[in-house]
Amino acid sequence: MDVELRTVTERLRREAGVSESYERLVATGDVEELAEVLAAAGQPLWARELAAVRLGTAGDNRAFESLVLLLNHRDPSRCAAAAYALARLGDPRTARAAAALATNELRVAYALYPVRLLTELRAPESAPALITTLKRRLAPHDPYGKIALACVEGLGALGDPRARPVLTQACNFPRLAAAASAALARLPDQVPGP
């Protein structure tokens, strides 16, 4: 078990308290048992999250919908766990779902982990979604500075030349200027031809 998965399981152990169900879900190697937890009514959130993360990291697409819901949760630790599992799931729907969450202005407060996931995925949807999200954050007194910074850093990591205009604009914002300059330096000089 890697460090990230261990962190998730320890957090969920605290949520579950003394629970035979928790111990069974952590120990099982049976993906059918984990999938049953996602399908069964009345399961506690910690059990659904544990089953979804374990299935996702095992590459089982039955976890996709649950992980996407967790990616947009109000609890950042649940979002982080879902992003971790979705990045390992390999489901072709992941980038499109993350892009929809990152660009949903009604849920922008929860966009940090979808933005980071898009950067990690490096999918065709990644740069356009980050550009759109960053453009919206470049308003005076926008309260979502962490999301703007994640977009700037993500666009630098992606190195997509389409980001040049929005990164240039981000240089005018003191909280983003250094990161935007660094991101611009990572972009290729020319936009590739058709």
Side-chain angles (χ1 to χ4, degrees):
M1 185 180 301
D2 67 23
V3 174
E4 187 67 31
L5 192 52
R6 183 170 293 125
T7 301
V8 172
T9 57
E10 289 304 316
R11 174 177 53 80
L12 295 177
R13 179 186 309 273
R14 289 188 299 275
E15 280 186 40
V18 178
S19 167
E20 286 182 30
S21 297
Y22 171 85
E23 297 303 333
R24 188 182 74 252
L25 287 176
V26 166
T28 189
D30 183 358
V31 294
E32 296 306 321
E33 183 178 355
L34 294 169
E36 286 174 18
V37 171
L38 295 181
Q43 292 293 321
L45 183 55
W46 65 260
R48 290 184 182 283
E49 181 181 353
L50 182 56
V53 168
R54 294 223 33 232
L55 284 170
T57 57
D60 191 315
N61 288 346
R62 290 177 287 184
F64 177 76
E65 287 83 6
S66 295
L67 290 171
V68 169
L69 288 173
L70 289 166
L71 183 63
N72 197 32
H73 198 275
R74 68 182 173 273
D75 180 348
S77 58
R78 294 197 198 286
C79 299
Y84 170 81
L86 283 165
R88 282 140 192 84
L89 179 59
D91 191 298
R93 301 170 290 175
T94 300
R96 190 170 44 250
L101 293 174
T103 59
N104 182 346
E105 204 58 16
L106 297 175
R107 301 285 294 172
V108 69
Y110 309 109
L112 182 61
Y113 288 95
V115 164
R116 289 178 177 167
L117 178 59
L118 285 165
T119 302
E120 185 175 352
L121 293 174
R122 304 183 76 80
E125 297 88 347
S126 296
L130 269 58
I131 290 167
T132 297
T133 303
L134 180 57
K135 280 181 186 177
R136 294 172 180 166
R137 304 288 56 88
L138 297 180
H141 312 295
D142 182 82
Y144 304 108
K146 285 184 178 181
I147 295 164
L149 183 58
C151 288
V152 167
E153 292 170 346
L155 289 168
L158 293 172
D160 191 312
R162 295 175 292 179
R164 188 174 305 283
V166 73
L167 289 173
T168 300
Q169 188 181 357
C171 287
N172 296 321
F173 291 78
R175 67 180 188 228
L176 303 173
S181 293
L184 281 166
R186 296 177 75 179
L187 299 183
D189 291 332
Q190 297 291 330
V191 176

